[in-house]
Amino acid sequence: MNPMVSPWRLADAGKDLAGLECNRRSPAMVQALACLLLAASLVGPASAQTSYHSSALPHAHAANVIVPQARAWPIGRPAAIRVTDVEAEVHVEGQAATTALTLRLHNPAGTRQEAELLVPVPDGAVVRSFTFGGAGKEPVAQLLPADEARRIYEEIVRTMRDPALLEFAGFQLIRTSVFPVEANGTQWVRLTYENLLEADGERVDYVLPRSESLDYEVPWKITIRLESDRPVSTVYSPTHEVATKWQSDRRLTVTLSAAAAAVSGPFRLSWLHEKGGVTASFMAYPSPEDKGGYFLLLAGVPPVPPESRTAIRREVTLVLDRSGSMSGEKLEQVRNAARQVIGGLEEGEAFNLILYNEAIELYSPTPVIKSRTTEKEVMAFIDAITSSGGTNIHDALVEALRMKPVKGYLPIVLFMTDGLPTIGRTSEREIRDIVLHSNPSGRRIFTFGVGVDVNTPLLEAIARNSRGSAAFVLPAEDVEVKVAGVFRKLAGPVLADPVLTLLDESGKSARGRCADLVPTPLPDLFEGDQLVLLGRYVGEEPVLFEVGGNYLGTSRAFRFRFDPAGASTRMGFVPRLWAARKIALLVDAIRSQGADMALAPDRQRIAADPRFKELVDEIVRLSTRFGILTEYTAFLAREGTDLGRRGEVVEEARRNLIERAVQVRSGLGSVNQSVNSQDLIVQKSLNPRNEYWDANMNRVSVTGVQQVNDRAFYRRGNQWVDSRLVESGGKADRTVEFGSKEFMELAQELAREGQQATMTLTGEILVEHRGKRVLIRNAAE
């Protein structure tokens, strides 16, 4: 092994650019990149230019052409080398990123095979090193110019009669020299490149190009080590679930979650630099047909210094179900949860306990300030809790909300139950409305349904109407662990009672410029928290978002300027995330209506309700357009469903929603609906496979629909149909044949709109492009 490594490093050169603000519209960034690339070409005999000169690379392709972000193409050989897994290790210093891709390859053939890598990379990338295990010729890698990269893309597409590589049209390309993989053997290969990241105000974005195809299932392990010269406010991925470990406010490690290891699509990570309290940035997608577009507001709050952690003190009331069904291990878990919550409060914060079965018992008529003495006393009270009797949810909730609060404290209620209301007033609507009409102190209620014999829509409504959230503890789960997980997120309130106001640039009301905001109202923000607000915007003039509230004990307002001119078609994840949350709210509204409808004997009467009809129609419209499918609309992707028969489609959705969302209020089949609802309503990253929990709490996915940027395509026989065309029917306005000049030109046009992955679907593709219906005759599968 003898890797050829360039001594020139973008990270080192980037240190000389301190203070340079780079963004996608900044001429300074363009000039800086040009200077850096020029420096790379002039550093001498051992330079990047010498190490990766094109003459060192063969003109013909190896037997196996491997694109780690997509798949391998065997040229004339049936037993192709396979990529078994990919590990990406990314080190970011300031805005300079070094990405090391390690591939593990397997050769299933009985003979030695050769391979080469083609790696799509962001603009401005520079090769740092290429190496592989075992013996072989000295490894070489080259960054191809855009025209050369395009030529190779088209050459492979025509040769293999496979359009998959066109998904990366518009990207730069790194091509390596040929390396061997022994018979029936494995091989590791490592390629490292560097690039300067784009910044937009206080936000920095890292993007790792990868295929959107649902057929791409190679597992990835991604680790990003971030070293910033400024404090970081928050880290966010709109595409994949990640975990963040903070070493300090300037050093942190982000890892791709195990659940997202095989989730397809480009990996995107953004972080905000802290700027005087709440920091925010916008991502937007233009949609002329909607006379505006869609936006995502990402806001973060900084870690709270120890001296400020009690600037907003908490008052926590634990409301514990002690009915007969809570006996045994379940009751001990509840006791442990209560002990943990009380122990987690700071001295000077307040607490109280309310126990209920058919009767109500208060630990204290008013909240108690925590001290060593009061903590010891309440622990003895918790130890003595026993179980018996029925479940009077109504009166327990009334007592929790009518209690006089401690002035200036943030009032929080943790409400636990393991059963349906059986004593006192048991009407779902009546109990739900207590929160709307009898919560003068604005207590935040976090509900916990223990087991499956709970009214899940009721617990969701109680939480949603009070700025709280609902959680459900399945029979095999631990109450203590679930409660502790929620309570940890309520540490150190930073911004309480946030209110959003929209203004124009003169400071006047801009009401009507934005609509369909989710979530609303805005939630409280706690230490290390982030806000992901999605919505639609109308018009092209800038809008000021003013977020005001109680910031660390002081009334403050923060203003953020949103300019629709910065919207980009490469932000296709924004409308998809918005649609997912909007659909969740619509389903939730139907489930809430079920409090009145569930007992109605006439199903036709339910379906004829104008409120119900309007909600179902909108769910079907959004689900069809964006390909966001739920357990109620998964049939849209089913082979044989004629989406052109709108009436029949809506009728099937109505039937599913009546039978499930309206009529199932408790049991495992209700818990799964609530868990799905909670996942969607707070969704922060994409779910390209439309995974959800079925009525038996099994994880299922929908594969008959493919999301591409902001579009969705439905599989119908050998044809993929653009969701914008599924209802209209009719013939194509033009036909484009695979591999033709027109085919390649169309790929470039779609690439400029971020839609090039459309071309990679197998079989025929019917797509709307520039107002025309275009039929793409792709190569046979």
Side-chain angles (χ1 to χ4, degrees):
M1 179 174 66
N2 182 22
M4 185 171 289
V5 182
S6 166
W8 181 84
R9 294 188 57 198
L10 179 59
D12 296 331
K15 293 176 182 177
D16 296 329
L17 299 176
L20 174 64
E21 179 179 354
C22 299
N23 57 57
R24 65 176 63 91
R25 296 177 298 278
S26 171
M29 178 180 180
V30 176
Q31 183 178 3
L33 281 171
C35 293
L36 290 172
L37 292 174
L38 179 60
S41 67
L42 297 176
V43 292
S47 69
Q49 183 183 24
T50 303
S51 299
Y52 310 115
H53 196 276
S54 60
S55 62
L57 294 170
H59 292 287
H61 292 288
N64 290 268
V65 177
I66 297 172
V67 181
Q69 297 101 317
R71 56 189 173 83
W73 283 268
I75 298 182
R77 290 174 180 263
I81 292 174
R82 304 297 181 190
V83 180
T84 59
D85 62 277
V86 182
E87 182 173 358
E89 297 175 282
V90 185
H91 182 206
V92 180
E93 294 181 73
Q95 282 181 230
T98 301
T99 301
L101 297 179
T102 302
L103 287 70
R104 290 173 179 81
L105 310 174
H106 175 62
N107 176 10
T111 58
R112 186 190 211 198
Q113 295 198 67
E114 292 184 330
E116 67 174 298
L117 294 186
L118 292 178
V119 182
V121 294
D123 289 346
V126 177
V127 180
R128 177 176 166 189
S129 67
F130 168 56
T131 186
F132 56 85
K137 294 181 181 180
E138 190 171 49
V140 182
Q142 173 201 19
L143 179 66
L144 300 180
D147 289 345
E148 179 68 6
R150 176 179 175 179
R151 185 191 67 77
I152 288 182
Y153 285 140
E154 295 180 358
E155 175 188 333
I156 293 178
V157 167
R158 288 192 177 101
T159 301
M160 299 307 303
R161 296 195 58 77
D162 188 329
L165 195 56
L166 288 177
E167 183 167 1
F168 303 105
F171 284 94
Q172 288 188 297
L173 189 65
I174 294 174
R175 183 182 182 185
T176 73
S177 56
V178 174
F179 55 88
V181 183
E182 300 300 332
N184 299 309
T186 59
Q187 171 73 287
W188 64 263
V189 182
R190 181 177 296 116
L191 176 72
T192 303
Y193 66 87
E194 298 181 333
N195 67 303
L196 190 63
L197 303 181
E198 287 189 346
D200 188 344
E202 302 303 323
R203 191 185 81 241
V204 181
D205 299 325
Y206 173 85
V207 179
L208 181 60
R210 300 196 315 162
S211 174
E212 287 189 270
S213 173
L214 296 182
D215 295 330
Y216 181 73
E217 296 181 334
V218 175
W220 281 62
K221 180 180 179 182
I222 301 176
T223 303
I224 298 180
R225 292 185 296 114
L226 174 60
E227 297 182 29
S228 174
D229 53 0
R230 299 168 55 194
V232 175
S233 173
T234 195
V235 178
Y236 169 62
S237 174
T239 57
H240 292 78
E241 180 184 316
V242 296
T244 304
K245 183 177 181 181
W246 297 76
Q247 287 82 44
S248 70
D249 61 355
R250 299 171 189 235
R251 295 171 59 90
L252 53 126
T253 302
V254 181
T255 55
L256 181 69
S257 74
V263 174
S264 60
F267 174 79
R268 185 182 186 104
L269 188 74
S270 300
W271 54 93
L272 302 183
H273 289 124
E274 183 187 337
K275 186 178 180 180
V278 179
T279 308
S281 182
F282 291 90
M283 306 176 197
Y285 183 91
S287 180
E289 63 189 273
D290 295 311
K291 299 180 180 179
Y294 302 85
F295 72 87
L296 182 155
L297 167 66
L298 172 65
V301 294
V304 179
E307 63 273 13
S308 300
R309 281 184 182 150
T310 56
I312 303 177
R313 296 182 185 273
R314 296 168 295 176
E315 173 204 299
V316 178
T317 302
L318 285 154
V319 184
L320 308 179
D321 184 345
R322 52 179 255 175
S323 59
S325 57
M326 287 291 291
S327 60
E329 182 181 5
K330 196 186 298 184
L331 182 61
E332 184 55 33
Q333 290 178 2
V334 169
R335 289 196 197 100
N336 288 336
R339 295 184 188 110
Q340 193 169 134
V341 169
I342 300 297
L345 293 171
E346 302 284 345
E347 287 204 6
E349 292 190 305
F351 66 84
N352 205 348
L353 272 78
I354 298 175
L355 311 180
Y356 71 98
N357 44 22
E358 66 271 9
I360 311 300
E361 179 182 357
L362 277 69
Y363 172 70
S364 170
T366 58
V368 177
I369 302 300
K370 180 182 174 180
S371 66
R372 290 185 180 180
T373 301
T374 57
E375 181 178 7
K376 183 178 180 180
E377 292 171 349
V378 76
M379 292 301 178
F381 179 81
I382 293 171
D383 292 342
I385 297 175
T386 59
S387 62
S388 66
T391 307
N392 191 341
I393 291 178
H394 179 279
D395 288 0
L397 190 57
V398 168
E399 286 297 333
L401 299 184
R402 69 190 290 267
M403 189 184 309
K404 185 177 180 180
V406 180
K407 186 176 181 180
Y409 283 45
L410 180 66
I412 296 171
V413 174
L414 304 182
F415 192 102
M416 295 177 227
T417 183
D418 81 329
L420 303 170
T422 58
I423 301 293
R425 299 181 181 180
T426 59
S427 163
E428 179 181 334
R429 173 171 286 278
E430 191 172 356
I431 295 172
R432 186 187 69 194
D433 287 351
I434 295 171
V435 180
L436 295 174
H437 307 302
S438 303
N439 187 13
S441 303
R443 281 187 161 85
R444 282 71 165 158
I445 308 172
F446 295 82
T447 57
F448 298 86
V450 182
V452 299
D453 295 325
V454 293
N455 186 320
T456 66
L458 172 60
L459 297 180
E460 284 187 273
I462 289 172
R464 182 185 64 252
N465 293 333
S466 63
R467 275 193 167 125
S469 65
F472 299 92
V473 187
L474 296 176
E477 296 179 323
D478 191 311
V479 180
E480 179 186 358
V481 172
K482 188 76 75 167
V483 173
V486 172
F487 187 66
R488 272 196 303 272
K489 297 177 183 178
L490 305 179
V494 177
L495 182 66
D497 301 307
V499 176
L500 174 65
T501 305
L502 300 179
L503 305 168
D504 62 22
E505 293 202 279
S506 68
K508 296 180 181 179
S509 173
R511 188 177 303 169
R513 289 294 313 282
C514 295
D516 295 321
L517 305 182
V518 282
T520 182
L522 299 183
D524 302 309
L525 297 180
F526 295 82
E527 182 176 358
D529 218 343
Q530 67 181 202
L531 169 67
V532 177
L533 175 68
L534 291 137
R536 296 189 302 108
Y537 69 85
V538 179
E540 299 300 328
E541 295 299 317
V543 181
L544 299 179
F545 283 61
E546 182 178 273
V547 179
N550 179 357
Y551 180 78
L552 294 176
T554 303
S555 179
R556 283 191 63 181
F558 302 88
R559 283 190 179 183
F560 313 109
R561 185 176 185 270
F562 168 53
D563 188 352
S568 168
T569 55
R570 295 193 177 277
M571 300 284 186
F573 56 85
V574 175
R576 283 159 63 183
L577 289 173
W578 171 82
R581 289 194 183 183
K582 183 65 177 177
I583 290 169
L585 288 177
L586 295 170
V587 171
D588 186 70
I590 286 179
R591 296 198 83 199
S592 294
Q593 286 186 7
D596 297 326
M597 296 177 173
L599 301 179
D602 187 353
R603 182 177 297 175
Q604 291 184 346
R605 178 180 153 201
I606 298 174
D609 186 304
R611 299 171 301 167
F612 180 80
K613 183 177 183 299
E614 182 180 12
L615 291 169
V616 174
D617 286 348
E618 186 65 1
I619 289 170
V620 171
R621 185 185 75 82
L622 292 176
S623 298
T624 303
R625 175 175 173 181
F626 293 102
I628 307 295
L629 306 187
T630 64
E631 59 184 298
Y632 316 106
T633 56
F635 72 91
L636 294 174
R638 183 181 63 212
E639 188 68 44
T641 298
D642 187 348
L643 298 178
R645 296 179 177 271
R646 172 78 176 184
E648 295 178 8
V649 169
V650 171
E651 179 56 35
E652 185 163 356
R654 287 177 188 169
R655 184 166 58 250
N656 291 341
L657 286 160
I658 290 172
E659 293 177 354
R660 301 277 296 128
V662 172
Q663 296 184 326
V664 180
R665 315 300 289 177
S666 63
L668 191 60
S670 184
V671 170
N672 92 285
Q673 294 183 72
S674 290
V675 172
N676 289 332
S677 174
Q678 293 296 303
D679 288 347
L680 272 181
I681 217 159
V682 299
Q683 184 174 321
K684 293 183 179 181
S685 56
L686 297 176
N687 178 15
R689 294 183 180 276
N690 284 306
E691 294 184 343
Y692 62 86
W693 300 99
D694 69 10
N696 296 313
M697 287 303 291
N698 296 313
R699 196 70 170 163
V700 297
S701 62
V702 181
T703 56
V705 60
Q706 170 75 58
Q707 299 168 356
V708 176
N709 204 14
D710 72 317
R711 297 194 181 194
F713 290 82
Y714 290 85
R715 186 68 179 260
R716 293 296 179 262
N718 189 42
Q719 189 175 90
W720 289 94
V721 183
D722 191 328
S723 63
R724 302 165 198 238
L725 303 176
V726 290
E727 293 184 25
S728 57
K731 295 183 178 180
D733 297 313
R734 59 187 272 227
T735 299
V736 177
E737 297 292 341
F738 174 83
S740 65
K741 180 181 178 182
E742 190 179 16
F743 179 88
M744 297 303 179
E745 289 174 349
L746 178 60
Q748 293 301 315
E749 290 175 6
L750 290 171
R752 287 190 284 273
E753 301 171 2
Q755 305 283 355
Q756 64 268 37
T758 299
M759 304 287 288
T760 69
L761 299 171
T762 54
E764 292 186 345
I765 307 161
L766 185 62
V767 59
E768 182 185 72
H769 178 59
R770 298 181 179 177
K772 301 292 185 180
R773 301 164 56 90
V774 181
L775 178 63
I776 303 170
R777 294 193 185 278
N778 250 338
E781 295 183 61

